[in-house]
Amino acid sequence: MKNPRIKVIIPAFNEADSIGLVIQDIPDLVEEVIVVSNNSTDQTEENARKAGASVLTETRKGYGYACLKGMDYVAAQQEKPDIIVFLDGDYSDYPEQLSAIIQPILQENIDFVIGARVDRLREEGAMTFPQIFGNWLATRLMRLFFGAKFTDLGPFRAIKYEKLLALKMEDKTYGWTVEMQLKAIKQKLSYVEVPVNYRNRIGVSKVSGTVKGAVMAGVKILGWIFKYSLK
């Protein structure tokens, strides 16, 4: 794949302090950065525009809703991208590692790449116990039921655009990442994980930072896994 067209979708809810840093660290090879403000009440949208991103607003709360809004925006454009990258807006990921994440697609024709937040590259405290345990349980169940080799549900990920469309993504909230991985397995997409650094986020997590968020995310993730185990 020569001179690929790459777009980045960043769901963001009240990430005013971090969104500019995320955008500025994204490599220049990206054609467009799309920030989807998920009903933010701070300066997220203004700061994203100042940093050079295209800004959308999705008033329905939910990570999946924001991702789907970004996909609808891309689908309406005349020139379609080759690769879509998903990235969080809290600066916990290292956006400059996007170049490494897309390399398996460019060099090996891999369909789908997950940025795996491995222990040795993860800052102390960057992931909470519910996140660590949830990742362990979800990936073990995917291995048990489907023979999958995933070790993480990391949000930093890249996928060929045509393959993303074929997944027919539908989850609106916490199950977005695991839905993508399960559907990739079912559709026999080629996939790999690339180890990435992970640091403490700026601000408080809206999912792992609350008991309700952690419980709801866990229920959604396990629900998707058991749903697909019965198909």
Side-chain angles (χ1 to χ4, degrees):
M1 189 182 295
K2 294 182 178 180
N3 302 315
R5 298 171 62 96
I6 304 167
K7 293 183 184 288
V8 175
I9 295 176
I10 306 175
F13 171 58
N14 288 348
E15 306 290 6
D17 293 336
S18 58
I19 195 65
L21 297 171
V22 174
I23 296 166
Q24 75 175 16
D25 285 356
I26 292 174
D28 291 339
L29 54 85
V30 169
E31 179 181 85
E32 183 179 20
V33 177
I34 303 156
V35 172
V36 186
S37 173
N38 197 201
N39 215 22
S40 296
T41 57
D42 62 3
Q43 303 303 118
T44 295
E45 296 178 21
E46 179 182 344
N47 292 350
R49 288 192 185 93
K50 286 180 178 178
S54 301
V55 178
L56 312 177
T57 299
E58 173 53 74
T59 57
R60 294 169 295 182
K61 295 294 286 293
Y63 187 89
Y65 271 124
C67 291
L68 289 168
K69 181 82 169 192
M71 288 176 60
D72 287 343
Y73 168 81
V74 172
Q77 297 177 331
Q78 186 172 0
E79 295 290 337
K80 302 299 188 287
D82 298 299
I83 299 170
I84 293 286
V85 176
F86 292 93
L87 173 65
D88 279 354
D90 58 15
Y91 209 48
S92 53
D93 298 304
Y94 286 69
E96 60 269 29
Q97 293 185 320
L98 180 147
S99 300
I101 284 182
I102 64 171
Q103 280 310 303
I105 299 176
L106 301 181
Q107 296 183 354
E108 303 168 45
N109 201 31
I110 296 295
D111 297 320
F112 179 37
V113 183
I114 298 283
R117 300 164 293 183
V118 297
D119 289 348
R120 62 186 172 82
L121 299 178
R122 196 168 67 225
E123 190 174 282
E124 184 176 355
M127 289 179 68
T128 63
F129 175 76
Q131 283 179 295
I132 295 170
F133 177 74
N135 270 293
W136 176 84
L137 180 60
T139 54
R140 288 305 183 278
L141 289 174
M142 284 194 281
R143 178 173 297 180
L144 175 66
F145 291 143
F146 313 110
K149 297 179 181 179
F150 294 118
T151 65
D152 194 13
L153 305 179
F156 198 1
R157 50 186 57 201
I159 185 169
K160 292 177 181 176
Y161 181 62
E162 61 181 30
K163 300 296 184 180
L164 175 61
L165 293 181
L167 296 181
K168 300 186 186 302
M169 294 292 294
E170 58 188 279
D171 193 273
K172 310 301 192 301
T173 55
Y174 305 106
W176 173 270
T177 54
V178 73
E179 179 196 2
M180 186 181 294
Q181 287 167 249
L182 288 169
K183 288 185 172 179
I185 296 167
K186 284 290 187 177
Q187 294 191 21
K188 302 187 185 305
L189 301 192
S190 57
Y191 64 88
V192 296
E193 291 185 333
V194 172
V196 294
N197 295 82
Y198 197 69
R199 60 190 155 210
N200 284 280
R201 59 159 292 143
I202 294 175
V204 178
S205 173
K206 289 77 177 177
V207 178
S208 60
T210 67
V211 173
K212 178 183 177 182
V215 171
M216 292 300 293
V219 169
K220 237 344 178 30
I221 289 167
L222 293 178
W224 270 106
I225 292 172
F226 289 118
K227 172 184 174 181
Y228 267 74
S229 69
L230 298 174
K231 287 191 174 184

Coordinates of all heavy atoms in Angstrom, one line a residue, residues 38 60-68 170-177 179 207 216-217 220 224:
N38 N -18.2 14.1 22.5 CA -19.4 13.3 22.9 C -20.2 14.1 24.0 O -20.2 13.7 25.2 CB -19.0 11.9 23.5 CG -20.1 10.9 23.6 OD1 -19.9 9.9 24.3 ND2 -21.2 11.1 22.9
R60 N -25.5 12.1 21.9 CA -25.9 10.8 22.6 C -24.6 10.3 23.3 O -23.6 10.1 22.6 CB -26.5 9.8 21.6 CG -27.8 10.2 21.0 CD -28.2 9.4 19.8 NE -27.2 9.5 18.7 CZ -27.4 8.9 17.5 NH1 -28.4 8.0 17.4 NH2 -26.5 9.1 16.6
K61 N -24.7 10.1 24.6 CA -23.5 9.7 25.3 C -23.2 8.2 25.1 O -24.0 7.3 25.1 CB -23.8 9.8 26.8 CG -24.0 11.3 27.3 CD -22.7 12.1 27.1 CE -21.7 11.8 28.1 NZ -22.1 12.2 29.5
G62 N -21.9 8.0 24.8 CA -21.5 6.6 24.6 C -20.3 6.6 23.6 O -20.3 7.3 22.6
Y63 N -19.3 5.8 24.0 CA -18.1 5.7 23.1 C -18.4 5.2 21.7 O -17.9 5.7 20.7 CB -17.1 4.7 23.8 CG -15.7 4.6 23.2 CD1 -14.7 5.5 23.6 CD2 -15.5 3.7 22.2 CE1 -13.4 5.4 23.0 CE2 -14.2 3.6 21.7 CZ -13.2 4.4 22.0 OH -12.0 4.3 21.5
G64 N -19.3 4.2 21.7 CA -19.7 3.7 20.4 C -20.4 4.7 19.5 O -20.2 4.8 18.3
Y65 N -21.3 5.5 20.2 CA -22.0 6.5 19.4 C -21.0 7.5 18.8 O -21.2 7.9 17.6 CB -22.9 7.3 20.4 CG -24.3 6.8 20.5 CD1 -24.8 6.5 21.8 CD2 -25.1 6.6 19.4 CE1 -26.1 6.0 22.0 CE2 -26.4 6.1 19.6 CZ -26.9 5.8 20.9 OH -28.2 5.3 21.0
A66 N -20.0 7.9 19.5 CA -19.0 8.8 19.0 C -18.2 8.2 17.9 O -17.9 8.9 16.8 CB -18.0 9.2 20.1
C67 N -17.8 7.0 18.0 CA -17.1 6.3 16.9 C -17.9 6.2 15.6 O -17.5 6.4 14.5 CB -16.6 4.9 17.3 SG -15.3 4.9 18.6
L68 N -19.2 5.8 15.8 CA -20.1 5.7 14.7 C -20.3 7.0 14.0 O -20.4 7.1 12.8 CB -21.4 5.1 15.1 CG -21.4 3.6 15.5 CD1 -22.6 3.2 16.2 CD2 -21.1 2.7 14.3
E170 N -22.0 -1.9 15.6 CA -23.3 -1.4 16.1 C -23.3 -1.0 17.6 O -24.2 -0.3 18.0 CB -24.3 -2.5 15.9 CG -24.0 -3.8 16.5 CD -24.9 -5.0 16.2 OE1 -26.0 -5.0 16.8 OE2 -24.5 -5.8 15.3
D171 N -22.3 -1.5 18.4 CA -22.4 -1.1 19.8 C -22.3 0.4 20.0 O -21.4 1.0 19.4 CB -21.3 -1.8 20.6 CG -21.5 -1.8 22.1 OD1 -21.1 -0.8 22.7 OD2 -22.2 -2.7 22.6
K172 N -23.1 0.9 20.9 CA -23.2 2.4 21.1 C -22.4 2.8 22.3 O -22.2 4.0 22.5 CB -24.6 2.8 21.3 CG -25.6 2.3 20.2 CD -25.2 2.8 18.8 CE -26.3 2.5 17.8 NZ -26.7 1.1 17.7
T173 N -22.0 1.9 23.2 CA -21.4 2.4 24.4 C -20.1 1.6 24.7 O -19.1 1.8 24.0 CB -22.4 2.2 25.6 OG1 -22.8 0.8 25.6 CG2 -23.6 3.1 25.4
Y174 N -20.1 0.8 25.8 CA -18.8 0.3 26.3 C -18.3 -0.9 25.5 O -17.1 -1.3 25.7 CB -19.0 -0.1 27.8 CG -19.5 0.9 28.7 CD1 -20.8 0.9 29.1 CD2 -18.7 1.9 29.1 CE1 -21.3 1.9 30.0 CE2 -19.1 2.9 30.0 CZ -20.4 2.9 30.4 OH -20.9 3.9 31.3
G175 N -19.1 -1.5 24.7 CA -18.7 -2.8 24.0 C -18.0 -2.6 22.7 O -17.8 -3.6 22.0
W176 N -17.8 -1.4 22.3 CA -17.2 -1.1 21.0 C -16.0 -1.9 20.6 O -15.8 -2.5 19.6 CB -17.0 0.4 20.8 CG -16.3 0.8 19.5 CD1 -15.0 0.9 19.3 CD2 -17.0 1.1 18.3 NE1 -14.7 1.3 18.0 CE2 -15.9 1.4 17.4 CE3 -18.3 1.2 17.9 CZ2 -16.2 1.8 16.1 CZ3 -18.5 1.6 16.6 CH2 -17.5 1.9 15.7
T177 N -15.0 -1.8 21.5 CA -13.7 -2.4 21.2 C -13.8 -3.9 21.1 O -13.2 -4.5 20.2 CB -12.6 -2.1 22.3 OG1 -13.1 -2.4 23.6 CG2 -12.3 -0.6 22.3
E179 N -16.5 -5.7 20.5 CA -17.3 -6.0 19.3 C -16.4 -6.1 18.1 O -16.5 -7.0 17.3 CB -18.4 -5.0 19.1 CG -19.3 -5.3 17.9 CD -20.1 -4.1 17.4 OE1 -20.1 -3.1 18.0 OE2 -20.9 -4.3 16.4
V207 N -14.9 5.9 32.5 CA -15.3 4.5 32.6 C -14.6 3.8 33.8 O -15.3 3.5 34.8 CB -14.9 3.7 31.3 CG1 -15.3 2.2 31.4 CG2 -15.6 4.3 30.1
M216 N -20.5 -1.4 34.2 CA -21.3 -1.4 32.9 C -20.4 -1.9 31.8 O -20.8 -2.6 30.9 CB -21.8 0.0 32.7 CG -22.9 0.4 33.6 SD -24.3 -0.7 33.5 CE -24.9 -0.4 31.9
A217 N -19.1 -1.4 31.8 CA -18.2 -1.9 30.8 C -18.0 -3.4 30.8 O -18.0 -4.1 29.8 CB -16.8 -1.2 30.9
K220 N -21.1 -5.2 29.5 CA -21.2 -5.1 28.0 C -20.1 -6.0 27.3 O -20.5 -6.7 26.4 CB -20.9 -3.6 27.6 CG -22.0 -2.9 26.8 CD -23.0 -3.6 26.2 CE -24.1 -2.9 25.4 NZ -23.7 -1.6 24.8
W224 N -21.1 -9.3 24.9 CA -20.7 -9.5 23.5 C -20.0 -10.9 23.3 O -20.2 -11.6 22.4 CB -19.8 -8.4 23.0 CG -20.5 -7.2 22.5 CD1 -20.7 -6.0 23.0 CD2 -21.1 -7.2 21.2 NE1 -21.4 -5.2 22.2 CE2 -21.7 -5.9 21.0 CE3 -21.3 -8.1 20.1 CZ2 -22.4 -5.5 19.9 CZ3 -22.0 -7.7 19.0 CH2 -22.5 -6.4 18.9

